[in-house]
Amino acid sequence: MADEAYYPGLEGVIAGETALSTIEDGLRYRGYSIEDLAREAQFPEVAYLLLYGELPTSEELADFQSILSESADLPGPVVDLLANLPVHAGAMDILRTGISACGHFDPQADEHDRQANINKAVRLLGQIPMLIAARYRTTRGLPPVTPTGELSFAANLLQLITGRQPDATAERAMDVSLTLYAEHEFNASTFTARVVTSTGSDLYSAVTAAVGALKGPLHGGANERVMAVLEEVATPDNAEGWVRRALSSKRRIMGFGHRVYKTGDPRADILRSYCRELAERRGDTDLEEIADTIERVVRDEKGLPPNLDWPSARLYHYLGLEVELYTPLFVASRVVGWAAHVIEQSESNRLIRPRSRYTGPAPRNIVPLPERE
Ligand code: ACO
């Protein structure tokens, strides 16, 4: 291994093949541009596309949505478990536990064929909004909201959490954010899911591990930290001074930079216009002014564009959602991408097991215990 290639963080390494998405020509899911999907499809159509390979017909979509609604029930012991976990536990930790616990009640948990994996993915897609909402409402002493089965996925998700049915603008904004978060080739959490799958393990294990990877602030956890930045800046007048000070003290600005998008994240451009619309509707565009100033300075000074987490934090804030929900909402969407990768990995599997470059001591002999100092 003397002349082996080594790329820290696997940067630039092609670590596998996928037919799910590409970033070669803008972001595309199975050939469709993210701009077209965000404009013309709803999130359940995108979920179907990722899981089944093609956009659904009206009939297929209706069937898919009714299976989704039927899957939304949580097993009673899982609800009890969530209610009994420590109040201070983070929402992502709770969601990771909840997803893992749901696996114990799935009769197909250990079946690995394509249809079983799709069934499990659809069940999780229905259950994750329930898990997020159950914990959120219980810890606030709020009664659970029973899904009616009549709302869209996005509207139902918002109603389960807030108890209120969103208007059409809010529903559309949430739906688009779900579409944009659904899939992104070999990102850290998806790669985690593929590594777990490559050992022959099951979909619940892969998704549980992926939630753990997504939680980190360099990945999905960034959307919660973005809100902390905006709150710290507080007013448009503070923005320029704040960001210049932050950059000169080498502070990492959450929501900026990306391992694979060096000139711009197309998802961020799409969501920005929804943020502006929601802010104008509220009659308060301060956060938009703050965000524009920070964007301008970070681009000028560091050449770094914002990533999807930058606008999504503002979007969720405008939808009246609390910060601790932001990364769990990423899970509510990305579970589709993870599951589709689990299916793809299992159908063309080779154990993922790279090598490391050794940096430890040279070979040495053990000193017997009594002689060690
Ligand atoms: N703020 C300030 N400087 C930054 C930022 C940032 N957000 N991101 C990168 N940089 C700087 C680095 O300090 C480094 O500068 P230097 O060359 O002067 O030392 C340079 O840009 C390259 O940075 P790397 O860390 O090498 O880039 P990498 O590809 O490893 O990191 C990452 C990508 C982790 C996303 C990084 O940009 C970051 O930490 N961003 C903030 C967290 C974030 O927003 N994550 C969400 C990612 S998108 C998603 O998960 C949906």
Side-chain angles (χ1 to χ4, degrees), residues 11 181 184 214 217-223 226 247 250-260 262 265 267 298 302 304 307-309 330 334:
E11 182 163 5
Y181 266 137
H184 209 214
L214 189 77
L218 298 187
H219 191 9
N223 64 6
V226 165
L247 290 177
K250 302 262 178 246
R251 182 166 164 177
R252 206 162 265 243
I253 320 271
M254 291 292 126
F256 284 86
H258 200 280
R259 173 59 65 77
V260 295
K262 296 305 180 192
D265 180 337
R267 304 166 300 173
V298 178
K302 297 284 297 184
L304 288 172
N307 58 54
L308 174 59
D309 288 330
F330 193 156
R334 183 57 63 86

Side-chain angles (χ1 to χ4, degrees), residues 17-71:
E17 293 182 319
T18 182
L20 287 161
S21 68
T22 174
I23 54 166
E24 291 300 316
D25 171 27
L27 175 58
R28 288 174 184 273
Y29 298 167
R30 296 202 187 267
Y32 296 106
S33 82
I34 197 70
E35 289 79 8
D36 287 353
L37 289 170
R39 192 176 52 250
E40 291 174 39
Q42 290 204 341
F43 172 67
E45 292 170 71
V46 172
Y48 188 100
L49 169 71
L50 290 168
L51 291 172
Y52 288 93
E54 295 297 337
L55 284 167
T57 61
S58 308
E59 203 177 317
E60 286 164 341
L61 182 62
D63 285 349
F64 183 66
Q65 286 180 310
S66 68
I67 299 169
L68 253 182
S69 313
E70 286 159 20
S71 322

